[in-house]
Amino acid sequence: MNEEHCIVSQNHSISMSLATTMIVLFLQIITCFLFTTTVSSPHGFTIDLIQRRSNSSSFRLSKNQLQGASPYADTLFDYNIYLMKLQVGTPPFEIAAEIDTGSDLIWTQCMPCPDCYSQFDPIFDPSKSSTFNEQRCHGKSCHYEIIYEDNTYSKGILATETVTIHSTSGEPFVMAETTIGCGLHNTDLDNSGFASSSSGIVGLNMGPRSLISQMDLPYPGLISYCFSGQGTSKINFGTNAIVAGDGTVAADMFIKKDNPFYYLNLDAVSVEDNRIETLGTPFHAEDGNIVIDSGSTVTYFPVSYCNLVRKAVEQVVTAVRVPDPSGNDMLCYFSETIDIFPVITMHFSGGADLVLDKYNMYMESNSGGLFCLAIICNSPTQEAIFGNRAQNNFLVGYDSSSLLLQGASPYADTLYDYSIYLMKLQVGTPPFEIVAEIDTGSDIIWTQCMPCPNCYSQFAPIFDPSKSSTFREQRCNGNSCHYEIIYADKTYSKGILATETVTIPSTSGEPFVMAETKIGCGLDNTNLQYSGFASSSSGIVGLNMGPLSLISQMDLPYPGLISYCFSGQGTSKINFGTNAIVAGDGTVAADMFIKKDNPFYYLNLDAVSVEDNLIATLGTPFHAEDGNIFIDSGTTLTYFPMSYCNLVREAVEQVVTAVKVPDMGSDNLLCYYSDTIDIFPVITMHFSGGADLVLDKYNMYLETITGGIFCLAIGCNDPSMPAVFGNRAQNNFLVGYDPSSNVISFSPTNCSALWS
């Protein structure tokens, strides 16, 4: 044949596989009676759709733009499938197609339709669309054929067409020249066929022709949906699809080589208190053993493990067992109530223990009086599936921006010097090592350069650009481009801008080389008053979101990911890229805000607790909803505006009975005579997004070098100055910045032991 055929065999989820990479799938357990009247257990899946906060003074990050439209579509429930509304063609023609994370092709039935199933709505007629263009293969139409494992199939021609869905901006989200399948033969090999409510299928896996793969979004692959057994809902894409907050659990998700499906790793299933491990069974894996699929109704386990779970259910249920009337050999019982059945919990790797509502795990017959366990035993050669019934009343979020892609993740060794943290990197050709301060509160990367007419004293040799073959001064109107940066502590650096090769290590073992990186070559670096820079430092590495920062100039698949772990002693590492993702037990995520024309990382401080005394920012000038304090690795202390700072200090004074003494430094800190830190109260920072950081006393109280005096590590600022969450408060947290999700994560960690 001259026509090229694209032949794919899929179940609404499946394919065999090899090597792995991990991503994170988020499931949020909160309440959502708005879409269901089903009675839920206390740990049920009832959830609400969450509209991510947006406001005029903050925006979501993107690779190329400020906050824009987040696409979404209305969804419908029809018996056991979920449909989304979208439009194809010009003028737009509305279709309702099945949501399927287990396949990639987007297809709809097309006129003329010689062999189509009956659908309720009118069928799309491509001859009436001005933007429909058949794809050509060797001068002929490109044909496709896709057969699902339930024996439904679609055959037709591939085309490009305009696809339109809603967006949060109020303007439609238009996808020109999207590859779709125009289905001309769509039926089944048995007798089931497709639902008449559906015009086709929208594939949402990681394949190249899926809807999400063809969306032009800054951080592609973000999806969330909330399925219920009745009513309507929404499916979200892009930044509005981020799932976070109290009750959210994150399961490791795996993408296998040459396999675009979303795998989870099921470690165990609990039937009440009876935990059935996959370890020791053929079902056990460490790289994903079950596909999560929106297009399959029930959950499927391999027969040997499935029987173990069924036996555990049988040991609890005392009702009369009956044959499965559907012919699927499900475990079924006569019962007038669902209450007799045991609670089932799925334990996924990554710390996601999902206590499933009985509605998720037991299906009642249409006539009532008969309940069946919604788990089917399949052949060991078939994939295990986590179906949509089990996902009901969860806000389920797929975040492939957290994809741990195979390849190099840059990192650098870090050092502690009294109150600052330094990182090692190399500049120039041949590489010349420098040690520069880590500063999330600025953007430019600069180092002292020879000749240095007005430089501070540094321990290590100063970089000599004349000895580097890759050093290039930047030119402005035929002259050298100059820079000048003045920091809040009155230190400054002045010099010339240049491009230079910057090199740091990577997890691959090969160096991560950044050619033609913009840096500052500092020729005049000192202070306007008294302090100056530390002699241990060669300069500063700016890490905010400004265009000259190190992370902004890194060519990484998911830019902006940083993590570090600071300790008051020893060495550590700072990570960039996918290796910088912070997750796992004990991690809390705070909302992160980037303000217009302001590249700093803001958090929103809702309250501070001194022991049990909660001091809310609400009702004070410090209160905000779009970020009121920025997190800074280059500032030691935490700073609050004067009025709020005094409220916190008063709360500390009410607890501490030691003798108060004046602060000998310039910050007018609250200080006491004491031989021990134990007399001081525990302080907790409450950030929006559900991040309640219980701070160690070391984080919040500084002891003088001579000992015997402790000072509260919170300074009071003039209201015109920004509030700062300093590096002392961040000690012994693994801190992760994720602009793709707009969160900063904190995981309590013994940082001094982490890389020892």
Side-chain angles (χ1 to χ4, degrees), residues 248-297:
T248 301
V249 291
D252 292 336
M253 185 163 71
F254 302 79
I255 303 293
K256 304 191 179 188
K257 188 176 181 181
D258 302 323
N259 187 331
F261 305 112
Y262 306 103
Y263 282 84
L264 302 172
N265 211 70
L266 187 66
D267 293 333
V269 172
S270 290
V271 177
E272 296 289 357
D273 296 328
N274 184 1
R275 183 178 169 112
I276 304 111
E277 302 285 347
T278 62
L279 186 65
T281 74
F283 188 30
H284 181 68
E286 294 184 354
D287 60 350
N289 58 3
I290 187 167
V291 174
I292 180 167
D293 185 16
S294 66
S296 293
T297 305

Side-chain angles (χ1 to χ4, degrees), residues 424-434 462-464 467-471 500-505 511-514:
K424 293 181 178 180
L425 65 160
Q426 295 174 318
V427 293
T429 306
F432 180 91
E433 185 171 88
I434 65 169
I462 294 175
F463 174 59
D464 187 346
K467 295 181 179 178
S468 171
S469 63
T470 48
F471 182 88
E500 181 56 286
T501 298
V502 173
T503 306
I504 61 176
F512 186 84
V513 180
M514 300 169 59

Side-chain angles (χ1 to χ4, degrees), residues 110 124 126-127 129-134 157-161 180 182:
C110 287
F124 174 60
S127 69
S129 171
S130 63
T131 48
F132 182 89
N133 289 296
E134 285 189 18
I157 58 173
L158 290 173
T160 58
E161 181 57 285
I180 68 167
C182 195

Side-chain angles (χ1 to χ4, degrees), residues 33 56 162 239 415 531 573 599 685:
F33 292 106
S56 60
T162 298
T239 51
L415 306 168
S531 57
K573 284 184 173 60
M685 303 282 186

